[in-house]
């Protein structure tokens, strides 16, 4: 009998909260960020530990480049569920973006925590691709004197190659392009195209030809090849 009473009392509350969340989620997916934020904040008042609501609010804050707000939401997610790799990744990403927009001295003080967040995500989920990409970016962009390391970037690129050949070749191409070894980058992007034929692979090679190697005709040919392939795949 008690269980029946419980259902009659609390079921309408649960259904209301869920419908409120659904409305907020629809606004988010419709890219109505201002309205979605208000709706999720309303949900959070009634469900202050709801992981998905907090994550959406963090993502909205990131969309608006409100890094302190995003960091706060993702930090709360880490505290509520420390075993979730994506929460550490998103926290590290928001912290990294804040560091990027801060002065150099403040940014340097944040880098270790950014790295640690991505490394934690990988330790929790050994197949976490996005964290390896993030670490590659950090290690190639930082000067060696403050922790930059091409060899560490290549290490993570090799790990990506084992997990996802396309990501492995693209990341290695990105490293080679960053250090202006354009012919080697070209080879890696071509391997990415062979491995998966993704739109990104074609775009990266076309961009390399157009913007770095000053070969616009090759860039045009690559994009035409991709468009032709898309048409063929429809039939």
């Amino acid at each position: 009998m008690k269980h029946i009473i419980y259902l009659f009392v609390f079921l309408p509350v649960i259904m209301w909260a869920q419908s409120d969340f659904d409305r907020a989620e629809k606004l988010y997916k419709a890219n109505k960020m201002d309205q979605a934020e208000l709706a999720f904040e309303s949900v959070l008042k009634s469900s202050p530990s709801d992981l998905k609501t907090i994550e959406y609010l963090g993502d909205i804050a990131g969309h608006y480049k409100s890094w302190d707000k995003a960091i706060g939401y993702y930090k709360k997610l880490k505290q509520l569920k420390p075993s979730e790799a994506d929460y550490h990744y998103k926290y590290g990403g928001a912290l990294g973006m804040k560091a990027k927009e801060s002065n150099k001295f403040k940014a340097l003080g944040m880098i270790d925590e950014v790295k640690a967040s991505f490394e934690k995500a990988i330790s929790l989920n050994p197949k976490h691709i996005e964290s390896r990409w993030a670490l590659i970016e950090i290690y190639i962009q930082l000067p060696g004197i403050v922790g930059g390391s091409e060899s560490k970037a290549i290490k993570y690129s090799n790990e990506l190659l084992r997990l996802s050949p396309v990501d492995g070749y693209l990341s290695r191409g990105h490293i080679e392009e960053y250090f202006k070894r354009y012919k080697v980058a070209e080879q890696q992007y071509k391997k990415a195209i062979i491995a998966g034929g993704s739109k990104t692979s074609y775009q990266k090679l076309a961009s390399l030809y157009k913007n770095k190697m000053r070969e616009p005709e090759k860039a045009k040919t690559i994009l035409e090849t991709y468009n032709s392939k898309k048409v063929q795949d429809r039939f």
Side-chain angles (χ1 to χ4, degrees), residues 15-173:
M15 290 176 68
W16 174 84
Q18 186 60 41
S19 63
D20 215 31
F21 176 88
D22 291 342
R23 184 174 67 84
E25 190 173 45
K26 284 177 183 177
L27 288 167
Y28 179 88
K29 289 178 178 178
N31 207 33
K32 297 177 180 178
M33 295 298 177
D34 287 341
Q35 296 176 53
E37 184 174 28
L38 290 172
F40 280 124
E41 285 172 348
S42 176
V43 174
L44 194 64
K45 287 176 184 176
S46 57
S47 305
S49 297
D50 185 75
L51 297 174
K52 200 63 188 173
T53 298
I54 298 167
E55 185 175 9
Y56 270 125
L57 284 167
D59 293 348
I60 291 168
H63 172 79
Y64 286 119
K65 300 184 179 181
S66 301
W67 303 122
D68 284 328
K69 281 180 71 175
I71 288 165
Y73 285 123
Y74 296 142
K75 187 174 184 178
K76 188 173 182 180
L77 286 173
K78 286 198 308 169
Q79 293 166 344
L80 289 169
K81 193 176 180 181
S83 62
E84 177 53 58
D86 279 346
Y87 297 160
H88 292 272
Y89 165 71
K90 288 190 174 186
Y91 176 78
L95 197 64
M97 291 306 298
K98 181 180 178 179
K100 193 174 181 181
E101 294 182 1
S102 302
N103 65 64
K104 288 182 181 179
F105 293 106
K106 188 175 181 180
L108 289 174
M110 300 162 71
I111 288 298
D112 285 344
E113 190 176 1
V114 175
K115 287 182 186 176
S117 296
F118 296 138
E119 287 163 359
K120 181 67 175 177
I122 292 171
S123 71
L124 291 168
N125 177 7
K127 294 182 178 180
H128 207 276
I129 286 173
E130 294 86 353
S131 289
R132 288 179 171 84
W133 268 104
L135 284 164
I136 288 168
E137 202 63 42
I138 288 171
Y139 281 119
I140 63 173
Q141 290 200 23
L142 276 179
I145 196 169
V146 290
S149 169
E150 184 184 350
S151 62
K152 286 183 179 179
I154 290 172
K155 168 185 170 288
Y156 285 112
S157 177
N158 289 336
E159 289 180 12
L160 281 176
L161 186 63
R162 290 191 288 272
L163 291 170
S164 164
V166 173
D167 284 284
Y169 292 129
L170 283 174
S171 61
R172 188 56 182 268

